[in-house]
Amino acid sequence: MKGTRKTTDPGRRKRIAIIGVSALLVAVLAAGGAVAVYRHSASAQLAEAREACARSSETLRVARNTYDTLHDQDAAEAVKITDKQVADGDTVTVLAAAYKEKTPDLAACNVSGVDQLREVMGRIEQNAAWYDTHTADLSKAVDAVNESHDAKTLKDAKDALSK
């Protein structure tokens, strides 16, 4: 009756149990390793996004300071010039419009996730581009008013001398 004999050999049962426990342990360790790799990767992505956002913020800070300096100094003086004091009155109108432009709302990197950081970084980069563009426009308008003012002053002086 060898064919009907059940496998109740204690050594064999022990080997099967060891193999099963070992396989389960390997699966648990593999899952733990995968979680650790995922967390490390997510942490690295977050650190990279924070660093990129900080670089964008620095670019914005420089662009904004340049704009503010121009706006608060040279443009603030030029905007006091009236259309009667310049050869071309349109230059005063253009300067007034550029001077009154509303600056963009502030954006900061004080968010917590990678996606939110990328979104904020996009707004920061748009703001920096706005400041760069408007600094150039405001500078041109200031130069135009000053040149027109100088031309009018020169013309008035020549007219006064010719009398």
Side-chain angles (χ1 to χ4, degrees):
M1 294 243 170
K2 283 187 173 183
T4 61
R5 187 173 153 224
K6 292 187 177 179
T7 58
T8 58
D9 182 17
R12 184 171 178 158
R13 284 178 137 182
K14 192 174 183 180
R15 275 183 263 143
I16 290 174
I18 290 173
I19 291 172
V21 169
S22 296
L24 182 61
L25 183 60
V26 167
V28 167
L29 290 175
V35 168
V37 167
Y38 173 77
R39 284 187 179 170
H40 175 69
S41 174
S43 176
Q45 286 178 353
L46 183 60
E48 183 181 312
R50 283 186 178 145
E51 185 178 320
C53 195
R55 283 191 307 269
S56 293
S57 290
E58 179 63 15
T59 301
L60 173 61
R61 184 191 64 77
V62 170
R64 183 174 179 196
N65 286 347
T66 303
Y67 176 84
D68 288 344
T69 299
L70 174 64
H71 185 272
D72 297 343
Q73 292 176 6
D74 294 344
E77 287 300 314
V79 82
K80 294 175 185 175
I81 298 172
T82 66
D83 60 347
K84 294 177 183 171
Q85 297 173 305
V86 294
D88 181 6
D90 290 340
T91 60
V92 173
T93 305
V94 170
L95 175 60
Y99 188 77
K100 292 177 184 176
E101 282 282 334
K102 183 182 179 313
T103 59
D105 293 333
L106 293 178
C109 298
N110 57 352
V111 293
S112 59
V114 173
D115 292 336
Q116 294 92 348
L117 279 167
R118 288 182 180 147
E119 181 182 323
V120 167
M121 195 169 63
R123 283 199 315 262
I124 289 171
E125 289 170 354
Q126 286 176 344
N127 289 356
W130 185 96
Y131 280 108
D132 288 342
T133 300
H134 285 79
T135 298
D137 293 346
L138 187 58
S139 181
K140 286 179 189 174
V142 167
D143 291 344
V145 166
N146 287 335
E147 288 171 12
S148 185
H149 182 259
D150 292 346
K152 171 79 169 161
T153 303
L154 181 62
K155 180 184 174 294
D156 290 348
K158 284 182 179 180
D159 289 347
L161 288 175
S162 67
K163 289 184 182 181

